[in-house]
Each structure stands twice: as C-alpha cells, then as structure tokens.
Amino acid sequence: MTDIERVGVVGCGQMGAGIAEVCARAGLDVKVAETTGEALEIGRTRLFNSLSKAAERGKISEEELADTQARLTFTTDLGEFADRDLVIEAVVENEQVKTEIFQVLDQVVTRPDAILASNTSSIPLVKLAVATSRPDHVIGIHFFNPAPVQKLVELIPALTTSEGTLSRAQVFTEKVLGKHAIRAQDRSGFVVNALLIPYLLSAIRMFESGIASREDIDNGMEMGCAHPMGPLKLSDLIGLDTVASVAYSMYEEYKEPLYAAPPLLQRMVDAGRLGRKTGSGFYTYD
Ligand SMILES: CC(=O)CC(=O)SCCNC(=O)CCNC(=O)[C@H](O)C(C)(C)COP(=O)(O)OP(=O)(O)OC[C@H]1O[C@@H](n2cnc3c(N)ncnc32)[C@H](O)[C@@H]1OP(=O)(O)O
Ligand SMILES: NC(=O)C1=CN([C@@H]2O[C@H](COP(=O)(O)OP(=O)(O)OC[C@H]3O[C@@H](n4cnc5c(N)ncnc54)[C@H](OP(=O)(O)O)[C@@H]3O)[C@@H](O)[C@H]2O)C=CC1
C-alpha cells in the first residue's frame, strides 16, 4: 500500500507528540527528535500520557499500548534520521528555525526518495523546499490539534513538489493514518487557517474592545453555533504564540488588516501567557 515504514518527527511539542502518536498507532516505526534531553523527557511524557489516556478510555488495548510504545524511540541527534522514509517537522512556527532544520534534514536523510514534510500552519512550503537539494520531495502535511482526534490533514505541495511526492503523501495520510486529506495551494494559511485565524483575531479584538466578556464570547459560539470550543478557548489550545506567528505570516503574504495581530495578542505573547501550554492565556489552567 505504501513504501513508508520508518517515520521521523522533529519536535515533540503538542503537535509533534500528537503526530508521533498517530503514526505509531498506525503501526509505523517512529523516531522523535527534540533539541535537549530535558525537552525530550517532557515530550515523551506528553506522548505516553496521551497513549495511557487512550487506553483508559478503551480506544486501545493494553497490548496495543505496549506495542505502540515499543515502536517509539527518542533522540536529540537528527543524524539518527538517516534511514527515515518520511520526516515530519513540527517545531515552533518560525521560518528561520524551520529552514535550518530542513537544511540539516537534507544532509542527514540518506534515502533519495524520502519525503521531507512540514506541519507548518502558514509558512509557504516553497521556502522550506528550496533550502534543500530535493525540493521535489518537500511537502506540507498539516495536521490539526489534537492530532490523534481531528480527522483532517491538509496536503500542500510547493511549486517544486513532484506529483509522485503528493500522491505518496495522500496514500500515506489516508490509507495508513486513516485521515481525510484535502489539498491546498501553497498560500499562507492554506484552507483552514485562512478561514479560522481571522475569526480568532476578531474574537480577540472583540474582547479587547470590551464588547463582551471572554465567557460570553466563547459561550456565544459554543451554544449559538455548536462549536466544540469558543474562539478564546481555542486560541489558548492552539497557543497564543502560534496564533500570533500564523497571523504574522498571513499578514506578510496578503497585507490585509484582517490578518493583523491585535495588540492584546502580542502583549500576551510578550508576557509569556501562551495559553494552555504555559498555564495561562485568556483563561488559567492547572
Ligand atoms: C493552528 C493550526 O494550524 C490548525 C489547528 O489545529 S486549529 C485547531 C483545530 N482544533 C479545534 O478546533 C479543536 C476544537 N475542540 C475540540 O475538537 C474538542 O473540544 C476537543 C477534542 C479538543 C476536546 O473535546 P472534549 O469533548 O471537550 O474532551 P474529551 O471528552 O476529553 O475528548 C473528546 C474525545 O477526544 C479524545 N481526545 C481528546 N483529547 C485527546 C488527545 N489529546 N489525544 C487523544 N484523544 C483525545 C477523547 O478520548 C474523546 O474521545 P471519545 O469521545 O470517543 O471518548
Ligand atoms: N498548536 C496547534 O494547534 C497547531 C500547530 N501547528 C504547527 O505545528 C508546529 C508546532 O506547534 P506546537 O506543537 O503547537 O508548538 P509547541 O510550542 O507545543 O512545540 C514547539 C516545538 O518546537 C521546538 N522548538 C522550539 N524552538 C526550537 C528550535 N530553535 N529548534 C528546534 N526546535 C525548537 C520546541 O522544543 P523546546 O521545547 O525545546 O523549545 C517544541 O518541541 C508549528 O509549526 C505550528 O504552527 C499545526 C497545527 C495545529
């Protein structure tokens, strides 16, 4: 069905951990890389806690839990990605950081037909593709948060991506991972964030201007439109640094005021109130 058996995931934050979990649960050999031993330990705990939660809820058996854990290995050395068939980069939403990682991956991944993918929310894929000597093998595979729960992936070929890479990514995400794939052109924000981010920014502007309380804004969309979570709770889930970075990329691309981050969002990022991951954002968390 697919020639992809060994997967590498760079970054074990909320998305990297979720993507690694999805791939390991699909039976693949998954190696996860982080920058430091400490970050690796935090990421491994996040991933194993999510797997334990899946077992507690009866989504996987105790045997599947043990088998899935055994398929996961962890490293701080990207050199160990030499034998990977597919690498999915899921580090911070920063073009320079991602570009440097793609340059390293290009050096270390030896299989000539390996796919180098990014989970970026908004950075044009062609910028990462041309940082490598194999721009035809670079593609966006964009998962949604939480990755083990959300059914969708967006596939974003750069101008340089080959048809073969796109179709292999489609077979992999749909047939192996069981996701639903949609395709988007390489424009900042792709499909979902191009629609979602202006909505989240509008909610933050509404809160900032005092039109309604945070609870009333969130209840409005949860109870009025049946969204699973309101826009301020969702911004906290995504991470306010990520929301701001995505807005920045989209503003750079389109120069439209609707993509401009409101001052409150920027001040909260400056203050380190990034949402759930730091325990404080529009709400506070244990
Ligand atoms: C920024 C970008 O680039 C793109 C993005 O991702 S934008 C963000 C997209 N994500 C969203 O919009 C999230 C919207 N919110 C939701 O879908 C839901 O509120 C939520 C899934 C996050 C939580 O749902 P909930 O009902 O409040 O919580 P909970 O009951 O714990 O979980 C619901 C189900 O998901 C599962 N689940 C929740 N979190 C999970 C996780 N981290 N790992 C595995 N499974 C999980 C639970 O097991 C549960 O499954 P069952 O109902 O079958 O038992
Ligand atoms: N949050 C979301 O809802 C979604 C996010 N995405 C995208 O996924 C990617 C990751 O987001 P998310 O998981 O939420 O972010 P997190 O903040 O949870 O994790 C970011 C990861 O990047 C690593 N990192 C940070 N700086 C560097 C660096 N200089 N070099 C290498 N690694 C670094 C972090 O490691 P350390 O802890 O050591 O700093 C951490 O593992 C982003 O591109 C984001 O846009 C896509 C879909 C949804």
Side-chain angles (χ1 to χ4, degrees):
M1 182 163 58
T2 168
D3 53 351
I4 296 169
E5 289 171 2
R6 291 175 296 270
V7 175
V9 178
V10 190
C12 199
Q14 54 177 341
M15 291 308 294
I19 294 165
E21 177 180 338
V22 169
C23 293
R25 280 173 65 174
L28 300 155
D29 166 335
V30 182
K31 197 176 278 289
V32 185
E34 258 293 354
T35 43
T36 64
E38 192 189 353
L40 200 57
E41 209 35 60
I42 294 168
R44 189 204 316 254
T45 303
R46 175 186 283 121
L47 203 169
F48 282 10
N49 283 347
S50 176
L51 277 174
S52 301
K53 192 171 144 192
E56 277 162 29
R57 294 195 182 213
K59 295 195 187 298
I60 51 173
S61 66
E62 287 298 325
E63 194 186 345
E64 283 168 324
L65 171 66
D67 290 350
T68 305
Q69 286 177 340
R71 284 193 285 270
L72 285 153
T73 50
F74 297 83
T75 182
T76 52
D77 177 11
L78 278 182
E80 291 187 24
F81 278 22
D83 66 347
R84 298 292 102 180
D85 304 313
L86 164 69
V87 179
I88 305 173
E89 167 280 312
V91 307
V92 67
E93 186 74 348
N94 177 301
E95 187 180 321
Q96 194 182 335
V97 173
K98 286 187 190 291
T99 302
E100 283 165 14
I101 286 170
F102 272 77
Q103 285 165 341
V104 174
L105 291 174
D106 189 34
Q107 297 298 316
V108 300
V109 176
T110 52
R111 228 189 101 164
D113 58 351
I115 296 178
L116 305 183
S118 176
N119 185 51
T120 179
S121 301
S122 60
I123 295 167
L125 271 307
V126 74
K127 297 193 180 195
L128 306 177
V130 298
T132 73
S133 63
R134 41 182 130 180
D136 50 334
H137 283 81
V138 174
I139 188 166
I141 304 183
H142 183 214
F143 292 77
F144 290 80
N145 188 2
V149 179
Q150 309 297 359
K151 289 294 288 178
L152 191 75
V153 294
E154 287 177 319
L155 297 177
I156 308 107
L159 273 180
T160 53
T161 307
S162 68
E163 269 301 321
T165 298
L166 176 58
S167 62
R168 284 170 69 210
Q170 175 135 14
V171 169
F172 174 75
T173 51
E174 294 200 318
K175 300 273 190 281
V176 180
L177 301 186
K179 298 290 187 189
H180 180 86
I182 61 172
R183 294 183 181 193
Q185 282 193 13
D186 191 17
R187 300 287 184 276
S188 182
F190 320 126
V191 172
V192 174
N193 283 331
L195 297 170
L196 179 68
I197 294 296
Y199 156 67
L200 299 181
L201 299 178
S202 300
I204 297 168
R205 281 189 208 101
M206 180 180 278
F207 176 59
E208 185 171 28
S209 62
I211 290 174
S213 68
R214 60 187 181 177
E215 290 83 4
D216 283 352
I217 293 171
D218 280 341
N219 285 334
M221 295 310 290
E222 288 168 24
M223 295 182 202
C225 296
H227 287 198
M229 45 174 55
L232 300 176
K233 278 188 210 161
L234 180 54
S235 298
D236 275 358
L237 174 75
I238 293 169
L240 301 189
D241 53 341
T242 303
V243 175
S245 297
V246 176
Y248 175 78
S249 295
M250 293 177 69
Y251 187 77
E252 278 292 295
E253 179 99 316
Y254 303 111
K255 305 288 187 296
E256 297 274 6
L258 81 160
Y259 302 118
L264 175 63
L265 175 61
Q266 199 53 57
R267 288 300 90 76
M268 290 175 77
V269 173
D270 295 339
R273 294 186 188 170
L274 306 182
R276 284 197 194 190
K277 62 184 165 189
T278 57
S280 163
F282 290 104
Y283 298 87
T284 52
Y285 304 88
D286 296 333

